[in-house]
Amino acid sequence: MANIQVNYQKSKILPLGSWNGPTYTLGMPIVSSVQILGIKFTANWGEMLEQNWTQKLNTISYLLYEAKSLHFSLFQRIWYVHMYALCKLWYTATILPASSLITQKIEKLIGNFLRHGYMYRVARPQIRQPVNNGGLGLLHIDIKCKAL
């Protein structure tokens, strides 16, 4: 532990708040954003939330668009949403809060995916009911994001 050193080639400085200092200090560059374990950090909180959640929204949109061509039953579509599409959200939701606008957009994407190829529309409260109560067990995204 005594020989711990900073790797100046990999390290960057992300200034928070008002920064009027130099653009290069301690042998490390000053950057406006840095990505750590899949989360993009910026000096501006609102910008950081928008960039991260927009990226997740685009990822889920792409995954659901790709899966529309597969011939899934409604139960298989629910399973796909839970096991493959929404799992992309939960890590980010443990770190950054999701706005209700983002969760509404995600719910709309999921609703369009579930209805693709079906003539009848099932109400969301019914879809969210457990399977043994006649529903499909779809998670309520807004509640789960707040819980995480």
Side-chain angles (χ1 to χ4, degrees):
M1 293 297 274
N3 292 330
I4 295 176
Q5 296 179 351
V6 174
N7 186 342
Y8 291 101
Q9 294 175 344
K10 292 183 177 179
S11 300
K12 299 172 186 170
I13 296 175
L14 176 65
L16 300 174
S18 60
W19 177 266
N20 296 326
T23 58
Y24 201 84
T25 185
L26 300 172
M28 295 180 278
I30 306 291
V31 295
S32 61
S33 67
V34 63
Q35 189 160 346
I36 302 171
L37 298 174
I39 303 293
K40 190 170 190 175
F41 292 92
T42 64
N44 183 307
W45 177 255
E47 180 183 325
M48 181 173 68
L49 291 176
E50 181 183 344
Q51 286 181 9
N52 283 288
W53 284 111
T54 301
Q55 189 266 335
K56 293 299 174 194
L57 189 65
N58 292 339
T59 300
I60 290 172
S61 176
Y62 177 73
L63 291 173
L64 295 177
Y65 175 77
E66 267 189 336
K68 276 187 180 181
S69 64
L70 302 173
H71 300 288
F72 285 156
S73 69
L74 193 54
F75 283 106
Q76 290 170 326
R77 287 178 184 268
I78 294 284
W79 183 87
Y80 181 85
V81 166
H82 282 172
M83 298 298 165
Y84 195 63
L86 290 181
C87 68
K88 308 292 184 192
L89 288 182
W90 305 141
Y91 171 68
T92 304
T94 60
I95 297 169
L96 301 173
S99 70
S100 59
L101 180 63
I102 291 292
T103 57
Q104 286 173 1
K105 287 180 181 180
I106 293 168
E107 298 235 359
K108 184 176 179 181
L109 285 171
I110 291 169
N112 289 339
F113 173 70
L114 294 177
R115 283 189 300 277
H116 181 72
Y118 290 98
M119 190 168 60
Y120 300 107
R121 181 178 179 182
V122 181
R124 285 188 191 170
Q126 181 64 32
I127 291 175
R128 288 191 181 117
Q129 290 290 322
V131 176
N132 57 357
N133 286 351
L136 297 173
L138 182 66
L139 293 172
H140 195 295
I141 296 166
D142 192 39
I143 292 174
K144 183 157 183 177
C145 284
K146 288 177 182 176
L148 292 174

PDB file of all heavy atoms in Angstrom, residues 115-133:
ATOM      1  N   ARG A 115     -48.020  -4.206 -27.831  1.00  0.00           N
ATOM      2  CA  ARG A 115     -49.184  -4.193 -28.711  1.00  0.00           C
ATOM      3  C   ARG A 115     -48.833  -4.521 -30.159  1.00  0.00           C
ATOM      4  O   ARG A 115     -49.730  -4.703 -30.974  1.00  0.00           O
ATOM      5  CB  ARG A 115     -49.857  -2.828 -28.662  1.00  0.00           C
ATOM      6  CG  ARG A 115     -50.683  -2.616 -27.431  1.00  0.00           C
ATOM      7  CD  ARG A 115     -51.494  -1.352 -27.521  1.00  0.00           C
ATOM      8  NE  ARG A 115     -50.693  -0.149 -27.675  1.00  0.00           N
ATOM      9  CZ  ARG A 115     -50.114   0.501 -26.674  1.00  0.00           C
ATOM     10  NH1 ARG A 115     -50.243   0.061 -25.460  1.00  0.00           N
ATOM     11  NH2 ARG A 115     -49.413   1.583 -26.888  1.00  0.00           N
ATOM     12  N   HIS A 116     -47.572  -4.576 -30.508  1.00  0.00           N
ATOM     13  CA  HIS A 116     -47.171  -4.808 -31.898  1.00  0.00           C
ATOM     14  C   HIS A 116     -47.760  -6.126 -32.418  1.00  0.00           C
ATOM     15  O   HIS A 116     -47.495  -7.190 -31.881  1.00  0.00           O
ATOM     16  CB  HIS A 116     -45.650  -4.840 -32.022  1.00  0.00           C
ATOM     17  CG  HIS A 116     -45.162  -5.051 -33.417  1.00  0.00           C
ATOM     18  ND1 HIS A 116     -45.253  -4.076 -34.367  1.00  0.00           N
ATOM     19  CD2 HIS A 116     -44.619  -6.127 -34.028  1.00  0.00           C
ATOM     20  CE1 HIS A 116     -44.774  -4.529 -35.500  1.00  0.00           C
ATOM     21  NE2 HIS A 116     -44.383  -5.773 -35.332  1.00  0.00           N
ATOM     22  N   GLY A 117     -48.578  -6.018 -33.441  1.00  0.00           N
ATOM     23  CA  GLY A 117     -49.177  -7.211 -34.034  1.00  0.00           C
ATOM     24  C   GLY A 117     -50.474  -7.647 -33.380  1.00  0.00           C
ATOM     25  O   GLY A 117     -51.108  -8.596 -33.838  1.00  0.00           O
ATOM     26  N   TYR A 118     -50.877  -6.980 -32.297  1.00  0.00           N
ATOM     27  CA  TYR A 118     -52.132  -7.348 -31.630  1.00  0.00           C
ATOM     28  C   TYR A 118     -53.186  -6.272 -31.902  1.00  0.00           C
ATOM     29  O   TYR A 118     -52.890  -5.089 -31.901  1.00  0.00           O
ATOM     30  CB  TYR A 118     -51.935  -7.496 -30.115  1.00  0.00           C
ATOM     31  CG  TYR A 118     -51.117  -8.709 -29.757  1.00  0.00           C
ATOM     32  CD1 TYR A 118     -49.754  -8.602 -29.500  1.00  0.00           C
ATOM     33  CD2 TYR A 118     -51.695  -9.967 -29.695  1.00  0.00           C
ATOM     34  CE1 TYR A 118     -48.998  -9.718 -29.184  1.00  0.00           C
ATOM     35  CE2 TYR A 118     -50.949 -11.087 -29.382  1.00  0.00           C
ATOM     36  CZ  TYR A 118     -49.593 -10.943 -29.125  1.00  0.00           C
ATOM     37  OH  TYR A 118     -48.858 -12.055 -28.819  1.00  0.00           O
ATOM     38  N   MET A 119     -54.409  -6.706 -32.087  1.00  0.00           N
ATOM     39  CA  MET A 119     -55.473  -5.786 -32.428  1.00  0.00           C
ATOM     40  C   MET A 119     -56.017  -5.068 -31.193  1.00  0.00           C
ATOM     41  O   MET A 119     -56.370  -3.907 -31.250  1.00  0.00           O
ATOM     42  CB  MET A 119     -56.600  -6.558 -33.118  1.00  0.00           C
ATOM     43  CG  MET A 119     -57.641  -5.678 -33.733  1.00  0.00           C
ATOM     44  SD  MET A 119     -58.740  -6.567 -34.822  1.00  0.00           S
ATOM     45  CE  MET A 119     -59.475  -7.768 -33.759  1.00  0.00           C
ATOM     46  N   TYR A 120     -56.042  -5.748 -30.049  1.00  0.00           N
ATOM     47  CA  TYR A 120     -56.659  -5.184 -28.859  1.00  0.00           C
ATOM     48  C   TYR A 120     -55.603  -4.631 -27.911  1.00  0.00           C
ATOM     49  O   TYR A 120     -54.521  -5.182 -27.775  1.00  0.00           O
ATOM     50  CB  TYR A 120     -57.506  -6.243 -28.143  1.00  0.00           C
ATOM     51  CG  TYR A 120     -58.600  -6.777 -29.014  1.00  0.00           C
ATOM     52  CD1 TYR A 120     -58.532  -8.055 -29.554  1.00  0.00           C
ATOM     53  CD2 TYR A 120     -59.700  -5.977 -29.316  1.00  0.00           C
ATOM     54  CE1 TYR A 120     -59.533  -8.545 -30.368  1.00  0.00           C
ATOM     55  CE2 TYR A 120     -60.707  -6.461 -30.130  1.00  0.00           C
ATOM     56  CZ  TYR A 120     -60.613  -7.731 -30.655  1.00  0.00           C
ATOM     57  OH  TYR A 120     -61.604  -8.191 -31.456  1.00  0.00           O
ATOM     58  N   ARG A 121     -55.979  -3.578 -27.235  1.00  0.00           N
ATOM     59  CA  ARG A 121     -55.088  -2.939 -26.277  1.00  0.00           C
ATOM     60  C   ARG A 121     -55.550  -3.299 -24.864  1.00  0.00           C
ATOM     61  O   ARG A 121     -56.730  -3.146 -24.538  1.00  0.00           O
ATOM     62  CB  ARG A 121     -55.132  -1.430 -26.475  1.00  0.00           C
ATOM     63  CG  ARG A 121     -54.249  -0.676 -25.565  1.00  0.00           C
ATOM     64  CD  ARG A 121     -54.325   0.808 -25.870  1.00  0.00           C
ATOM     65  NE  ARG A 121     -53.456   1.514 -24.950  1.00  0.00           N
ATOM     66  CZ  ARG A 121     -53.320   2.805 -24.933  1.00  0.00           C
ATOM     67  NH1 ARG A 121     -53.990   3.543 -25.785  1.00  0.00           N
ATOM     68  NH2 ARG A 121     -52.513   3.368 -24.075  1.00  0.00           N
ATOM     69  N   VAL A 122     -54.600  -3.741 -24.043  1.00  0.00           N
ATOM     70  CA  VAL A 122     -54.912  -4.080 -22.653  1.00  0.00           C
ATOM     71  C   VAL A 122     -54.459  -2.917 -21.772  1.00  0.00           C
ATOM     72  O   VAL A 122     -53.374  -2.379 -21.948  1.00  0.00           O
ATOM     73  CB  VAL A 122     -54.195  -5.385 -22.230  1.00  0.00           C
ATOM     74  CG1 VAL A 122     -54.534  -5.746 -20.801  1.00  0.00           C
ATOM     75  CG2 VAL A 122     -54.553  -6.512 -23.177  1.00  0.00           C
ATOM     76  N   ALA A 123     -55.302  -2.535 -20.815  1.00  0.00           N
ATOM     77  CA  ALA A 123     -54.979  -1.412 -19.938  1.00  0.00           C
ATOM     78  C   ALA A 123     -53.751  -1.726 -19.081  1.00  0.00           C
ATOM     79  O   ALA A 123     -53.540  -2.864 -18.669  1.00  0.00           O
ATOM     80  CB  ALA A 123     -56.175  -1.096 -19.044  1.00  0.00           C
ATOM     81  N   ARG A 124     -52.947  -0.715 -18.829  1.00  0.00           N
ATOM     82  CA  ARG A 124     -51.719  -0.920 -18.046  1.00  0.00           C
ATOM     83  C   ARG A 124     -51.970  -1.462 -16.643  1.00  0.00           C
ATOM     84  O   ARG A 124     -51.227  -2.317 -16.184  1.00  0.00           O
ATOM     85  CB  ARG A 124     -50.909   0.376 -17.982  1.00  0.00           C
ATOM     86  CG  ARG A 124     -50.218   0.647 -19.281  1.00  0.00           C
ATOM     87  CD  ARG A 124     -49.270   1.793 -19.172  1.00  0.00           C
ATOM     88  NE  ARG A 124     -48.853   2.137 -20.533  1.00  0.00           N
ATOM     89  CZ  ARG A 124     -48.186   3.197 -20.832  1.00  0.00           C
ATOM     90  NH1 ARG A 124     -47.842   4.044 -19.903  1.00  0.00           N
ATOM     91  NH2 ARG A 124     -47.845   3.442 -22.074  1.00  0.00           N
ATOM     92  N   PRO A 125     -52.975  -0.964 -15.929  1.00  0.00           N
ATOM     93  CA  PRO A 125     -53.209  -1.558 -14.605  1.00  0.00           C
ATOM     94  C   PRO A 125     -53.481  -3.061 -14.675  1.00  0.00           C
ATOM     95  O   PRO A 125     -53.076  -3.809 -13.794  1.00  0.00           O
ATOM     96  CB  PRO A 125     -54.422  -0.799 -14.073  1.00  0.00           C
ATOM     97  CG  PRO A 125     -54.383   0.516 -14.777  1.00  0.00           C
ATOM     98  CD  PRO A 125     -53.845   0.220 -16.140  1.00  0.00           C
ATOM     99  N   GLN A 126     -54.159  -3.487 -15.740  1.00  0.00           N
ATOM    100  CA  GLN A 126     -54.427  -4.921 -15.894  1.00  0.00           C
ATOM    101  C   GLN A 126     -53.141  -5.686 -16.197  1.00  0.00           C
ATOM    102  O   GLN A 126     -52.907  -6.762 -15.668  1.00  0.00           O
ATOM    103  CB  GLN A 126     -55.446  -5.145 -17.017  1.00  0.00           C
ATOM    104  CG  GLN A 126     -55.799  -6.596 -17.216  1.00  0.00           C
ATOM    105  CD  GLN A 126     -56.502  -7.198 -16.013  1.00  0.00           C
ATOM    106  OE1 GLN A 126     -57.234  -6.511 -15.307  1.00  0.00           O
ATOM    107  NE2 GLN A 126     -56.288  -8.464 -15.768  1.00  0.00           N
ATOM    108  N   ILE A 127     -52.289  -5.124 -17.050  1.00  0.00           N
ATOM    109  CA  ILE A 127     -51.023  -5.776 -17.393  1.00  0.00           C
ATOM    110  C   ILE A 127     -50.115  -5.877 -16.164  1.00  0.00           C
ATOM    111  O   ILE A 127     -49.366  -6.830 -16.009  1.00  0.00           O
ATOM    112  CB  ILE A 127     -50.309  -5.010 -18.524  1.00  0.00           C
ATOM    113  CG1 ILE A 127     -51.085  -5.163 -19.830  1.00  0.00           C
ATOM    114  CG2 ILE A 127     -48.884  -5.493 -18.722  1.00  0.00           C
ATOM    115  CD1 ILE A 127     -50.527  -4.346 -20.976  1.00  0.00           C
ATOM    116  N   ARG A 128     -50.209  -4.903 -15.273  1.00  0.00           N
ATOM    117  CA  ARG A 128     -49.337  -4.881 -14.090  1.00  0.00           C
ATOM    118  C   ARG A 128     -49.788  -5.835 -12.990  1.00  0.00           C
ATOM    119  O   ARG A 128     -49.042  -6.108 -12.060  1.00  0.00           O
ATOM    120  CB  ARG A 128     -49.266  -3.461 -13.540  1.00  0.00           C
ATOM    121  CG  ARG A 128     -48.454  -2.556 -14.422  1.00  0.00           C
ATOM    122  CD  ARG A 128     -48.175  -1.247 -13.730  1.00  0.00           C
ATOM    123  NE  ARG A 128     -47.410  -0.401 -14.612  1.00  0.00           N
ATOM    124  CZ  ARG A 128     -47.832   0.753 -15.092  1.00  0.00           C
ATOM    125  NH1 ARG A 128     -49.008   1.232 -14.740  1.00  0.00           N
ATOM    126  NH2 ARG A 128     -47.071   1.460 -15.903  1.00  0.00           N
ATOM    127  N   GLN A 129     -51.005  -6.325 -13.081  1.00  0.00           N
ATOM    128  CA  GLN A 129     -51.487  -7.276 -12.076  1.00  0.00           C
ATOM    129  C   GLN A 129     -50.638  -8.543 -12.121  1.00  0.00           C
ATOM    130  O   GLN A 129     -50.140  -8.920 -13.174  1.00  0.00           O
ATOM    131  CB  GLN A 129     -52.943  -7.644 -12.362  1.00  0.00           C
ATOM    132  CG  GLN A 129     -53.936  -6.538 -12.115  1.00  0.00           C
ATOM    133  CD  GLN A 129     -54.094  -6.246 -10.646  1.00  0.00           C
ATOM    134  OE1 GLN A 129     -54.085  -7.147  -9.811  1.00  0.00           O
ATOM    135  NE2 GLN A 129     -54.236  -4.976 -10.326  1.00  0.00           N
ATOM    136  N   PRO A 130     -50.468  -9.219 -10.988  1.00  0.00           N
ATOM    137  CA  PRO A 130     -49.753 -10.504 -11.004  1.00  0.00           C
ATOM    138  C   PRO A 130     -50.472 -11.507 -11.899  1.00  0.00           C
ATOM    139  O   PRO A 130     -51.684 -11.410 -12.119  1.00  0.00           O
ATOM    140  CB  PRO A 130     -49.792 -10.958  -9.541  1.00  0.00           C
ATOM    141  CG  PRO A 130     -50.091  -9.733  -8.752  1.00  0.00           C
ATOM    142  CD  PRO A 130     -50.864  -8.821  -9.636  1.00  0.00           C
ATOM    143  N   VAL A 131     -49.732 -12.478 -12.367  1.00  0.00           N
ATOM    144  CA  VAL A 131     -50.286 -13.487 -13.279  1.00  0.00           C
ATOM    145  C   VAL A 131     -51.429 -14.253 -12.624  1.00  0.00           C
ATOM    146  O   VAL A 131     -52.449 -14.533 -13.255  1.00  0.00           O
ATOM    147  CB  VAL A 131     -49.174 -14.449 -13.754  1.00  0.00           C
ATOM    148  CG1 VAL A 131     -49.734 -15.560 -14.628  1.00  0.00           C
ATOM    149  CG2 VAL A 131     -48.110 -13.683 -14.512  1.00  0.00           C
ATOM    150  N   ASN A 132     -51.305 -14.568 -11.329  1.00  0.00           N
ATOM    151  CA  ASN A 132     -52.370 -15.321 -10.661  1.00  0.00           C
ATOM    152  C   ASN A 132     -53.635 -14.489 -10.424  1.00  0.00           C
ATOM    153  O   ASN A 132     -54.656 -15.015 -10.039  1.00  0.00           O
ATOM    154  CB  ASN A 132     -51.868 -15.935  -9.345  1.00  0.00           C
ATOM    155  CG  ASN A 132     -51.304 -14.897  -8.396  1.00  0.00           C
ATOM    156  OD1 ASN A 132     -51.230 -13.718  -8.721  1.00  0.00           O
ATOM    157  ND2 ASN A 132     -50.887 -15.339  -7.233  1.00  0.00           N
ATOM    158  N   ASN A 133     -53.554 -13.163 -10.673  1.00  0.00           N
ATOM    159  CA  ASN A 133     -54.747 -12.300 -10.577  1.00  0.00           C
ATOM    160  C   ASN A 133     -55.282 -11.928 -11.960  1.00  0.00           C
ATOM    161  O   ASN A 133     -56.079 -11.012 -12.083  1.00  0.00           O
ATOM    162  CB  ASN A 133     -54.429 -11.017  -9.812  1.00  0.00           C
ATOM    163  CG  ASN A 133     -54.290 -11.256  -8.334  1.00  0.00           C
ATOM    164  OD1 ASN A 133     -54.594 -12.334  -7.838  1.00  0.00           O
ATOM    165  ND2 ASN A 133     -53.807 -10.262  -7.613  1.00  0.00           N
TER     166      ASN A 133
END
